[in-house]
Amino acid sequence: MEDIISVLTTTIRVSTPLILACLAGLYSERSGIVDIGLEGKLLGSAFGAAVVASVTGNVWLGLMAGIGVSLMFSAVHGLASINFRGNQIISGVALNFLASGLTVFLGAAWFGRGGNTPALSGGARFYGIELPFARELAGVPVIGPIYSGLLSGHTILTYLAFLAVPLTAWVLWRTRFGLRLRAVGENPKALDTAGMSVSFLRYKALAITAVLVGTGGAYLSTAQAASFSREMSSGRGYIALAALIFAKWRPYPALGACLLFGFLEAMQYRLQGVELPLIGAVPTQAMQALPYVLTILLLAGFVGRAIAPKAAGQPYVKER
């Protein structure tokens, strides 16, 4: 039971940035904007959050800085994709390269640690929250370990990430804004004919995307870890996109896909060096490759069957 709870707890923790990035991509792609730059936004916001939290000693200012960095990246992506009608894939890849190089350069210039930031402690990072009666219920069979070990002890950003899933489902399928957002990703001309601004709606979607992925990046450096390290996003932005495609652009299946990736990453930590029958010790490299192998398999098996929003990746030209 302890082993199961340990693996599931790790699954929840490592899934948090994936869930936030995946929901971020859901908003942008439902509006017709393909955001390959999720990886760069995760990395940039992780760096911004760690830097400001380290300098000020305030993790909330770090979170705001991380979201601010992500908003700037989204503004650049929106300018290139919406105003200049550029190729959205190229714009996103360019942002990823920019974040990868800029974080290392600025980190080395400011802190002289090879692109890393100083370790965070005290009020400069997020800590786990103990839910009410977690200690009292810890000794209760079955319920105690699940409540006190699995559900309790996570940071506030983890709880917000899981709450964001039903909130996203409600916003996109139960509100007027969500209806318009999905419409602009399917048939922007019809929305334009009704007198609504396609560009404004898409910028709104990119702003929501930036807040979500910026929170995910801040989680990486101020909650999951205690500092920023170079390339610490480790492809999570791409994995979030794969989960989004696998989930067919729906929030609850996206949550399940992210938890699946998180479970594989948790098993990677658990099985390193473990002796298995007929196999022997599992190579560390093989376990580290598991989430990425699953990404390839899912994309190869489902990308042809998943139908993206019709206007995704297509710049809208207003007819005069």
Side-chain angles (χ1 to χ4, degrees), residues 45-68 118-129 155-158 160 214-228:
S45 56
F47 177 75
V51 168
V52 172
S54 175
V55 172
T56 64
N58 189 316
V59 70
W60 294 103
L61 290 179
L63 175 62
M64 293 299 104
I67 293 175
L120 303 176
S121 60
R125 62 168 304 192
F126 288 104
Y127 294 94
I129 299 173
T155 66
I156 189 171
L157 298 185
T158 298
L160 289 176
T215 304
Y219 174 86
L220 285 175
S221 59
T222 61
Q224 184 171 318
S227 66
F228 174 84

Side-chain angles (χ1 to χ4, degrees), residues 14-284:
V14 300
S15 297
T16 298
L18 291 177
I19 294 169
L20 290 167
C22 191
L23 293 178
L26 178 61
Y27 278 98
S28 65
E29 298 210 5
R30 278 289 181 181
S31 72
I33 301 294
V34 176
D35 201 349
I36 300 294
L38 289 176
E39 176 73 9
K41 291 175 185 176
L42 270 177
L43 190 62
S45 56
F47 177 75
V51 168
V52 172
S54 175
V55 172
T56 64
N58 189 316
V59 70
W60 294 103
L61 290 179
L63 175 62
M64 293 299 104
I67 293 175
V69 171
S70 186
L71 282 168
M72 288 191 290
F73 274 60
S74 276
V76 173
H77 187 51
L79 190 66
S81 304
I82 300 172
N83 294 84
F84 296 153
R85 305 187 188 96
N87 187 296
Q88 297 173 13
I89 304 294
I90 294 175
S91 172
V93 171
L95 288 177
N96 291 341
F97 284 130
L98 177 65
S100 179
L102 199 59
T103 52
V104 174
F105 172 75
L106 293 179
W110 292 344
F111 301 105
R113 295 169 178 259
N116 301 339
T117 61
L120 303 176
S121 60
R125 62 168 304 192
F126 288 104
Y127 294 94
I129 299 173
E130 185 177 287
L131 296 180
F133 307 110
R135 292 185 181 180
E136 289 79 359
L137 293 174
V140 179
V142 183
I143 297 176
I146 293 175
Y147 182 73
S148 62
L150 180 60
L151 301 181
S152 179
H154 300 286
T155 66
I156 189 171
L157 298 185
T158 298
Y159 296 117
L160 289 176
F162 279 85
L163 286 175
V165 177
L167 179 61
T168 296
W170 179 77
V171 167
L172 289 179
W173 275 271
R174 293 290 185 271
T175 66
R176 184 178 300 175
F177 168 73
L179 176 63
R180 292 173 178 174
L181 191 70
R182 287 185 290 121
V184 79
E186 296 288 345
N187 193 346
K189 184 177 180 181
L191 208 68
D192 190 22
T193 304
M196 300 173 197
S197 173
V198 172
S199 298
F200 185 56
L201 272 170
R202 287 183 168 176
Y203 268 112
K204 276 185 176 180
L206 283 177
I208 297 172
T209 295
V211 172
L212 288 170
V213 74
T215 304
Y219 174 86
L220 285 175
S221 59
T222 61
Q224 184 171 318
S227 66
F228 174 84
S229 57
R230 56 191 303 169
E231 305 295 343
M232 75 179 307
S233 54
S234 301
R236 287 181 176 87
Y238 300 117
I239 292 176
L241 283 175
L244 184 61
I245 294 171
F246 175 59
K248 299 182 179 179
W249 294 269
R250 293 174 296 172
Y252 288 113
L255 171 62
C258 290
L259 288 173
L260 175 60
F261 283 111
F263 176 74
L264 284 179
E265 189 171 346
M267 291 302 293
Q268 156 194 323
Y269 301 138
R270 191 70 181 174
L271 293 179
Q272 285 183 11
V274 174
E275 295 281 343
L276 295 180
L278 304 178
I279 300 176
V282 181
T284 303

